[in-house]
């Protein structure tokens, strides 16, 4: 993609390059290594002022009826529709994912806005029966206040929207710290949203954007004015955030590492299994938390499926992600490339045999040092490198004898985000979904590990963090529950039959 096209997109999205500002962040595209734009870093003074304004905005926003808040979110969804093409291209260029995935990410924002609009009329409470006569007991859900959001580079805008759209209709205001690797897409979204709030005579601080590194995230985690902090990233980061927030008895939603597996049984539709495996492993260049990192294949079909897998990898096209003919774009930066190379080295040291070799791609068509080859290694499940998440297109394949062994292999990792089984056998499918099956937050049948719909609650178990975002009843995490009892009699009966007379 030519620089002039990016300049045009930035202009249409009202992104102005900041020069001579210190401190600042310059975003470089992994597609071609070129600078996209520079944005100022949020200083401590700026942060304090913004949090104060967010608190004031909350006092006004929470008074707006929930369906009216939903109407504002509907307008945000419509604005995102208008800017979908520009935003999708910017996501692709700044992060490095394919154009189709970039457009899909913007569509996720639109979809969660639609979901939140409906939700704004369904923030249900519960009426329960009181044991005391002439009493009514019920519960209601009330806004929390400022919801902090720390998002990762791999989904630079979608995961923010999962949190923000739901938090807004629940009556909260949001304070968003995007990854310092993808600040421009965040700024574009903030400008779109701010315009909607301004148009409706509402405080722009209902949506706040702060830019900075991990230190700014630590500041948010320690801030008692932020009752809920939703953080997406590595398990290491999540543990740090959890400790800081717990120390002040705050709440967290943590969506952390994944080490996702697909079990392929003798009863699988191999065509479906192959497509799911390849897309799951190489989509977003292996930089999804739901990326397929392990294939657990029955020994009776192992060799034949392996041949198909290797042949499919030969057909992959790697290059500029804005070229729709390419399947795989670059990794986010050179640090990610080094992690990829180190993982390959460690896998070989442990005895892994690469049936599709990896490596860094150079020469024509690869204008930055961030393009790598998706690779496949035959391994044993107990290898230490297999137990870890490497954010890169490295796929580990292994054999199993029976379904119990396959499920044990799948579950025997520290992470617990997404999982899948490929089978047309009803008993196998049901067993995989049973109490003795997958221990992950997401378990799919004849669908890969990657790609979740916004209607379902998203998140995982174990070192994935245990939080839930997006659909279902995940909205409850963004509100506080209050139990109410009303006595409409002229007496004061006590619970549990206790008497107290004066």
């Amino acid at each position: 993609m030519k620089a002039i096209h990016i300049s045009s997109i930035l202009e249409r999205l009202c992104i102005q390059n900041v020069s001579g500002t210190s401190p600042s962040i310059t975003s470089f595209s992994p597609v071609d290594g070129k600078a996209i734009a520079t944005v100022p870093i949020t200083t401590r003074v700026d942060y304090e002022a913004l949090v104060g304004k967010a608190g004031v905005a909350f006092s006004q926003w929470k008074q707006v009826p929930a369906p009216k808040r939903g109407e504002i979110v509907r307008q945000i969804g419509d604005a995102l529709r208008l800017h979908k093409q520009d935003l999708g291209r910017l996501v692709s260029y700044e992060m490095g994912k394919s154009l189709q995935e970039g457009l899909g990410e913007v569509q996720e924002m639109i979809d969660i806005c639609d979901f939140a609009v409906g939700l704004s009329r369904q923030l249900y409470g519960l009426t329960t029966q009181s044991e005391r006569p002439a009493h009514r007991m019920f519960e209601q859900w009330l806004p929390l206040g400022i919801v902090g959001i720390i998002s990762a580079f791999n989904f630079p805008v979608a995961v923010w929207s999962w949190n923000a759209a739901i938090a807004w209709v629940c009556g909260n205001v949001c304070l968003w710290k995007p990854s310092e690797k993808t600040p421009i897409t965040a700024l574009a979204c903030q400008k779109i949203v701010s315009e909607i709030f301004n148009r409706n005579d509402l405080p722009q601080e209902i949506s706040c954007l702060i830019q900075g590194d991990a230190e700014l995230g630590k500041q948010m985690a320690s801030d008692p004015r932020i009752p809920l902090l939703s953080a997406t990233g590595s398990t290491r980061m999540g543990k740090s955030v959890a400790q800081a927030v717990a120390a002040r008895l705050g709440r967290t939603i943590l969506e952390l590492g994944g080490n996702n597996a697909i079990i392929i049984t003798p009863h699988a539709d191999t065509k479906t299994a192959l497509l799911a495996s390849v897309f799951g492993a190489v989509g977003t260049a292996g930089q999804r938390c739901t990326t397929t990192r392990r294939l657990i294949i029955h020994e009776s079909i192992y060799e034949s499926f392996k041949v198909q897998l290797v042949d499919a990898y030969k057909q992959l096209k790697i290059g500029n992600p804005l070229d729709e003919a390419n399947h795989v774009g670059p990794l986010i930066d050179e640090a990610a490339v080094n992690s990829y190379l180190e993982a390959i080295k460690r896998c070989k040291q442990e005895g892994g045999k690469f049936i599709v070799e990896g490596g860094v791609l150079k020469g024509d068509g690869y204008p930055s040092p961030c393009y790598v080859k998706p690779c496949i290694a035959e391994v044993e499940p107990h290898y230490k490198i297999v137990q870890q998440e490497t954010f890169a297109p490295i796929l580990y394949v292994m054999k199993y004898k029976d379904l119990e062994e396959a499920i044990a292999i799948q579950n025997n990792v520290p992470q617990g985000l997404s999982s899948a089984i490929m089978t047309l056998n009803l008993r196998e499918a049901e067993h995989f979904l049973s109490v003795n099956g997958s221990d992950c937050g997401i378990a799919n049948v004849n669908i890969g590990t990657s790609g979740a719909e916004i209607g379902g609650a998203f998140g995982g178990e174990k070192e994935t963090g245990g939080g839930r975002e997006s659909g279902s009843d995940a909205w409850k995490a963004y509100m506080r529950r209050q139990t109410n009892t009303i006595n409409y009699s002229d007496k004061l009966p006590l619970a549990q039959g206790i008497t107290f007379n004066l």
Side-chain angles (χ1 to χ4, degrees), residues 118-197:
L119 180 64
S120 68
R121 293 180 181 271
Q122 300 181 73
L123 301 174
Y124 298 134
L126 178 71
T127 298
T128 189
Q129 298 300 313
S130 173
E131 67 182 61
R132 290 167 287 184
H135 280 59
R136 181 166 71 90
M137 186 161 60
F138 64 98
E139 66 180 28
Q140 62 178 337
W141 296 83
L142 303 168
L144 284 172
I146 301 175
V147 172
I149 304 168
I150 299 175
S151 60
F153 74 86
N154 59 330
F155 279 87
V157 291
V159 174
W160 160 72
S161 71
W162 291 358
N163 287 274
I166 304 301
W168 286 329
V169 297
C170 289
N172 303 299
V173 299
C174 295
L175 182 68
W176 177 24
K177 192 201 90 63
S179 169
E180 59 269 34
K181 299 179 181 181
T182 52
I184 310 304
T185 47
L187 182 57
C189 288
Q190 175 66 13
K191 286 184 175 292
I192 291 170
V193 169
S194 294
E195 171 60 27
I196 298 301
F197 287 120

Side-chain angles (χ1 to χ4, degrees), residues 104 424 451:
L424 300 179

Side-chain angles (χ1 to χ4, degrees), residues 4 24 52 129 194 293 350 369 439 454 474 490:
I4 185 63
S24 61
Q129 298 300 313
S194 294
R293 309 205 180 277
E350 289 194 72
D439 66 358
I454 57 92
D490 58 359

